[in-house]
Structure formats: structure tokens, C-alpha cells
Amino acid sequence: AFVEVLFPLLDEKPLARSLDFSAAYRYADYEGSGGVPSWKLGLDWQAVTDLRLRITRSRDVRAGSLSERFDTSRGPGNITDPFSGSNVPFPISVINGGNPEVDPEEADTLTYGLVYQPSWLQGFGITVDWFDIDVKGAIGQLGAQEIMDRCFDGAAAICALIDRDTSGQVVLIRNLFVNTDAARTRGLDVEASYQRAIDLFGGNEQVSVRLLGTYLREVSTTLAGASKIDRAGQTGQFGPTG
């Protein structure tokens, strides 16, 4: 069940060509994990013809998919055991699969930014948006070696995913989907575009250029009892390492 409203607060006023307030509420009842509410609040302010400012605050939810809850496969893997003091990898069995006990993840999201379309340069526009997504109980798999390392760091709940034989040797790791304690992504999105009409093949043609960029300030995960790991700046990410 959901409801959404949009209220125009101001219209054609000094420093407010328009000011709109939006709100939404949604309640989802998942058969596997129960009821979860979500909501969103937003302001959209057209200060002048060339400049629009916007801000949104929301609580977002996502339940585990069928594969994240039930799919299972087994295969070989290689790890090092930090408890042994050795850096030599050795083979183990790894179960990759879903976890029917995984809870829905919840994210508190804040975005704010501007849209600038100068009247003195027709066809040009630029948007700049800061985003901060703070997820509680994020759903994800850690990987066999990460499970070992997190257990060594003191995350006791993660140690339950590791099986050892009577001699203490690791023989099996269950790389299941779990709810991490927290995950956070924050950064800046920039998009610039320019479009103009040209007369090259008889007229009515257009040329356009578009530039997209993202700066990631933080891409971190934190498990209960373990230190935060920030992967911003690593391969596939951009931004300083935390």
C-alpha cells in the first residue's frame, strides 16, 4: 500500500518561480520477513529561471530476492588462515548460497543539488548532486577470505560460517548472504550537456555533447564487532581511501 502527494507552496514570487513539496509513504508486507515501512520527503525550488535547487530525504527498504534467500551451490576455494600465522593458501570447500533468515535492508538516503540552465547559453545544462546512502543491515556476500579475515578481527557471528576438522584445519566456509551491520556510500554526481541545431545536411540536424562523472567519497561496509572497511579508491571505485 502506498500514498504520494505533491503540494505547490509558492508560484511566481520573487526568488521563487516555484516551490514544491512532495511526500510519499509505502508499506510492504513480505511473506518471508514481515512488514516494513518506507517514506520520502522532498523540496524542489525554482529560485530563478536559470537555477533550480532540490533536496530529498528518504527511508528505503529492500527484501532479499529469491536467489539471495534460497539458491545454493558448492565448489572449491583457496584461503589463508590468519589464526595459523601462515600466509600460505590452502584448498577448502565453499558453499555459496542464499540465507532464508536474511532480513530486509533499510537505507537512509539524503540527496541535494542543483540544476543550472543558463539563459545566456541556450542548450547548455549542468546538474550537480551530492548523495549519502547509509544502509543498515545491507544484504551481501563477503567471500571466503573476507569471512576468515572478519572472524579474525573479532566478528563472532561471522565465525559461525567456518567449519574446522578435529585438528583445527578449516575445511568448509559457508559464503551465505548475510546482513552486514552497515554499508555507506556517499559522493558527488555531475552531469553536463550541450545541444544545438546545425545546418550540415540541409538543416534540421542537431549536435549534442554529454559528460557524466561520479566522485565517491566513501564506499564502506561494517560488520558488528569488526572495523569499518572503506573501498573508495580501489579498483572500480573512485575517491580517497578512508
Side-chain angles (χ1 to χ4, degrees):
F2 68 93
V3 62
E4 184 174 357
V5 294
L6 175 64
F7 292 109
L9 302 179
L10 294 174
D11 183 54
E12 298 298 336
K13 302 295 182 182
L15 294 181
R17 295 291 303 275
S18 66
L19 178 62
D20 297 329
F21 169 76
S22 60
Y25 179 86
R26 177 177 180 265
Y27 182 83
D29 188 3
Y30 299 104
E31 182 176 346
S33 48
V36 184
S38 59
W39 51 266
K40 180 178 73 171
L41 301 173
L43 277 176
D44 194 305
W45 174 30
Q46 186 82 40
V48 292
T49 302
D50 296 0
L51 180 64
R52 181 162 61 93
L53 306 174
R54 55 194 181 188
I55 182 171
T56 301
R57 187 77 166 89
S58 64
R59 164 67 60 84
D60 310 299
V61 299
R62 185 183 75 87
S65 65
L66 289 176
S67 62
E68 290 170 336
R69 298 182 63 209
F70 299 112
D71 283 359
T72 301
S73 64
R74 183 168 181 155
N78 287 278
I79 63 162
T80 60
D81 185 357
F83 290 95
S84 68
S86 172
N87 292 322
V88 178
F90 57 91
I92 62 166
S93 292
V94 179
I95 294 178
N96 293 289
N99 178 5
E101 303 300 321
V102 74
D103 293 323
E105 59 186 20
E106 298 182 354
D108 292 320
T109 303
L110 173 65
T111 61
Y112 55 88
L114 59 87
V115 180
Y116 181 54
Q117 296 175 304
S119 54
W120 53 267
L121 183 58
Q122 292 294 323
F124 176 77
I126 184 170
T127 64
V128 181
D129 290 290
W130 174 264
F131 58 89
D132 188 341
I133 306 169
D134 190 3
V135 184
K136 300 294 189 300
I139 300 172
Q141 288 175 296
L142 298 174
Q145 187 60 57
E146 188 79 3
I147 290 172
M148 287 299 309
D149 295 341
R150 294 296 184 91
C151 177
F152 184 73
D153 288 340
I158 296 300
C159 296
L161 300 174
I162 302 170
D163 287 353
R164 298 178 182 268
D165 61 19
T166 55
S167 68
Q169 177 84 1
V170 177
V171 293
L172 174 69
I173 290 182
R174 290 181 294 278
N175 183 29
L176 307 181
F177 282 94
V178 296
N179 292 104
T180 60
D181 187 60
R184 189 176 186 184
T185 302
R186 54 194 178 108
L188 190 70
D189 275 338
V190 180
E191 178 180 348
S193 63
Y194 179 66
Q195 180 176 296
R196 63 169 296 174
I198 60 173
D199 187 355
L200 188 62
F201 300 105
N204 295 322
E205 297 94 16
Q206 287 188 335
V207 61
S208 61
V209 179
R210 189 180 182 201
L211 176 66
L212 301 173
T214 298
Y215 166 75
L216 291 178
R217 179 65 181 85
E218 179 179 348
V219 184
S220 66
T221 56
T222 306
L223 287 176
S227 58
K228 179 172 71 173
I229 294 179
D230 189 351
R231 293 184 174 84
Q234 297 181 12
T235 301
Q237 314 291 349
F238 302 92
T241 301

